[in-house]
Each structure stands twice: as structure tokens, then as C-alpha cells.
Amino acid sequence: MIQRFDVGPRLSEMAVHNGVCYLAGQVAADDTQDIAGQTRQVLAAIDALLARAGSDKSRLLMVQIFIADLADFPAMNEVWEAWLPAGAAPPRATVQAALARPGWKVELVVTAAL
């Protein structure tokens, strides 16, 4: 059985199957903030989605980070490291990418265990 959350015409924000949560790319709601503010927003959205499924950030299996400007990489990492539980760093990839909206600075795609 697949459980889908916040299903829209184009995507679901999260799907859960066989004990694994798959999150859609999460972006900031307020794209006027700098990279640190946008990263905090995205991480809060991830926390909220994982909580709805009965999981949390200590159970991350894989994270993909898309960042619009590599000059923002150190500031994004500072927020990421403060958020991440000690000893729970998941496999991660970070790439520079043109994001779908000009104001977005970062997008995270997360897979986590229940």
C-alpha cells in the first residue's frame, strides 16, 4: 500500500511505502529570505512532513540538495549542521542547479525510514 500526503494535480508532498518516506523537493515559502533563512524554512517543512508520517530527521536515508549559487554553500551547510542530530548524517549529494523560481535559493529532496 502507498500512502500519499497533500496530493495535488502535479505531485504529492510525500509518499510512504514499505517503511520508507519519500518527500518531494522542499523549497522556502518566503523566497525573500537569504540562504540561511530559506534553509531553515525548508528544514522545518521537512520536520513537519516527517512527523506526519511518524518519522524524524534522525532517520534520514538520503538527501539531495539543489542550490542555486555555490557561493551560498557554506551558509547553507552551517544551518544544515546545526539542524542535523549528532551521529545521524545521511548520505548526501549537493549540486548547483537553476531552480524553478528565481527567488528560490535551495531545494531539498529527502528519503527517510519510518
Side-chain angles (χ1 to χ4, degrees), residues 5-6 8 10-16 21-27 42 45-46 49-50 62-64 66 107-112:
F5 294 75
D6 302 331
R10 188 172 296 151
L11 61 90
S12 297
E13 287 298 325
M14 177 172 59
V16 176
C21 304
Y22 302 90
L23 276 60
Q26 299 299 303
V27 295
V42 170
I46 290 167
L49 281 167
L50 291 176
M62 176 66 180
V63 175
Q64 298 170 346
F66 301 92
E107 182 170 358
L108 276 76
V109 179
V110 168
T111 305

Side-chain angles (χ1 to χ4, degrees), residues 33-51:
Q33 293 190 9
D34 65 7
I35 188 68
Q38 286 197 28
T39 302
R40 283 186 199 95
Q41 287 181 61
V42 170
L43 296 175
I46 290 167
D47 281 335
L49 281 167
L50 291 176

Side-chain angles (χ1 to χ4, degrees), residues 11-107:
L11 61 90
S12 297
E13 287 298 325
M14 177 172 59
V16 176
H17 175 67
N18 202 24
V20 179
C21 304
Y22 302 90
L23 276 60
Q26 299 299 303
V27 295
D30 177 3
D31 67 4
T32 65
Q33 293 190 9
D34 65 7
I35 188 68
Q38 286 197 28
T39 302
R40 283 186 199 95
Q41 287 181 61
V42 170
L43 296 175
I46 290 167
D47 281 335
L49 281 167
L50 291 176
R52 288 176 62 196
S55 186
D56 63 61
K57 62 189 172 188
S58 72
R59 302 181 60 80
L60 299 176
L61 296 171
M62 176 66 180
V63 175
Q64 298 170 346
I65 300 174
F66 301 92
I67 190 166
D69 185 348
L70 286 178
D72 287 334
F73 189 65
M76 183 276 301
N77 270 329
E78 186 175 324
V79 175
W80 166 263
E81 290 170 6
W83 174 79
L84 197 63
R92 184 184 106 169
T94 305
V95 298
Q96 184 174 9
L99 301 180
R101 291 195 182 160
W104 287 339
K105 297 182 181 301
V106 65
E107 182 170 358

